[in-house]
Amino acid sequence: MFENRAPHVLAGDYTPLSAVDIFVKDLGIVLDTARAAKFPLPLSAAAHQMFMMAAAAGHGREDDSAVIKIFPGIELPKRGTKSGPA
């Protein structure tokens, strides 16, 4: 996932390939199923919260890589700019 989405983040391109809202839905289904089986999924629960934060911040229809936008202190490239060493 990181290998696939990192180039989009570096290009500032959040055109949806799979939207944040889809991750909220799918992770919710996974967690509901795990809860019914009394099976703990702490990392999935944390990821679900982060995707919900991204959706609540208005990024729900953007690509799932837009979840990075909720992390404080990260300077993100703008669309069409290059980042990294020149």
Side-chain angles (χ1 to χ4, degrees), residues 6-83:
H8 297 275
V9 171
L10 294 175
D13 180 7
Y14 299 98
T15 303
L17 301 175
S18 178
V20 167
D21 284 341
I22 299 298
F23 267 67
V24 171
K25 176 188 69 71
D26 290 350
L27 282 169
I29 292 169
V30 167
L31 291 169
D32 288 345
T33 302
R35 190 176 304 112
K38 296 190 180 350
F39 189 85
L41 294 175
L43 295 178
S44 296
H48 187 245
Q49 291 296 308
M50 295 178 136
F51 279 98
M52 285 201 318
M53 287 171 58
H59 306 299
R61 293 181 183 247
E62 294 179 49
D63 186 67
D64 52 54
S65 61
V67 72
I68 197 167
K69 293 179 176 183
I70 65 161
F71 291 88
I74 297 176
E75 187 175 328
L76 297 171
K78 305 290 184 220
R79 187 175 190 123
T81 63
K82 293 184 179 184
S83 82

